[in-house]
Amino acid sequence: MRSAGRPAVVEQPGQAGDDQRSFRQRLLDALEESIAEDGYPKTTVADIVRRARTSRRTFYEHFPSREACFVALITDANTAQVNRISAAVDGTAPWQRQVRQAIEAWIASAESKPSLMLSWIRDGPSLGAAARRLQRGTMENFIAMVQSLCDTGEFRRAGAGRCHDSGRSCFSVACAN
């Protein structure tokens, strides 16, 4: 039954999922803001929900703990960083220029979120096993990115790229293969 003067709300396909992603992103953004202003150690779930303008219930629907929220934030930031670096590299440019592009994009990405990057370095280890899994996943993503970026004609012509016998990336320009 509709109230007079109010249109019926019709949920569009995927709208509920979009709302859930929106709440999740608001919580992550709120944690990032709190880290920038107060640091991760001083940030509480209450701080996060206050900044996100939502409830503790909503927080716990998305994350079992503050630490899990932090892991999700760092995971998303690291994924965005890998994507930013990959997008910045012109695979047709000379290999030296590609290396410079990747390094400059990496530095720019880290500089764009200095509080978060510093918190990842300082506070991440306090997460114990979760930090080790996060670090391992992050390193695997970076390794896959570097392998992909180095698997170009420019790197192969320079003698780098995929090793012929192992299928692994060979980062040495002096590779005998």
Side-chain angles (χ1 to χ4, degrees), residues 4-136:
R6 293 177 117 175
V9 175
V10 178
E11 186 174 63
Q12 299 296 320
Q15 185 176 349
D18 292 343
D19 289 345
Q20 290 302 310
R21 282 187 292 280
S22 173
F23 277 118
R24 181 183 185 279
Q25 191 58 54
R26 283 174 43 197
L27 292 164
L28 294 174
D29 292 344
L31 174 56
E32 186 173 350
E33 286 175 27
S34 190
I35 288 170
E37 288 186 27
D38 304 322
Y40 176 73
K42 291 182 182 176
T43 296
T44 64
V45 170
D47 296 326
I48 297 167
V49 299
R50 180 180 45 78
R51 288 174 188 274
R53 294 191 167 120
T54 190
S55 67
R56 280 180 169 274
R57 179 177 177 209
T58 300
F59 178 88
Y60 287 112
E61 286 173 359
H62 293 276
F63 305 104
S65 65
R66 175 183 74 123
E67 292 78 14
C69 187
F70 183 65
V71 167
L73 177 62
I74 297 298
T75 299
D76 287 1
N78 287 335
T79 298
Q81 187 175 53
V82 165
N83 292 339
R84 186 174 179 179
I85 294 166
S86 296
V89 177
D90 174 5
T92 63
W95 71 269
Q96 298 94 331
R97 187 162 171 215
Q98 290 181 48
V99 170
R100 177 173 288 284
Q101 289 169 336
I103 292 170
E104 288 174 351
W106 175 53
I107 291 169
S109 179
E111 286 179 336
S112 72
K113 297 181 179 251
S115 298
L116 187 58
M117 293 300 111
L118 187 58
S119 182
W120 167 220
I121 293 166
R122 286 184 178 164
D123 306 315
S126 71
L127 301 177
R132 288 188 295 280
R133 283 189 303 275
L134 176 59
Q135 186 175 32
R136 190 174 310 115

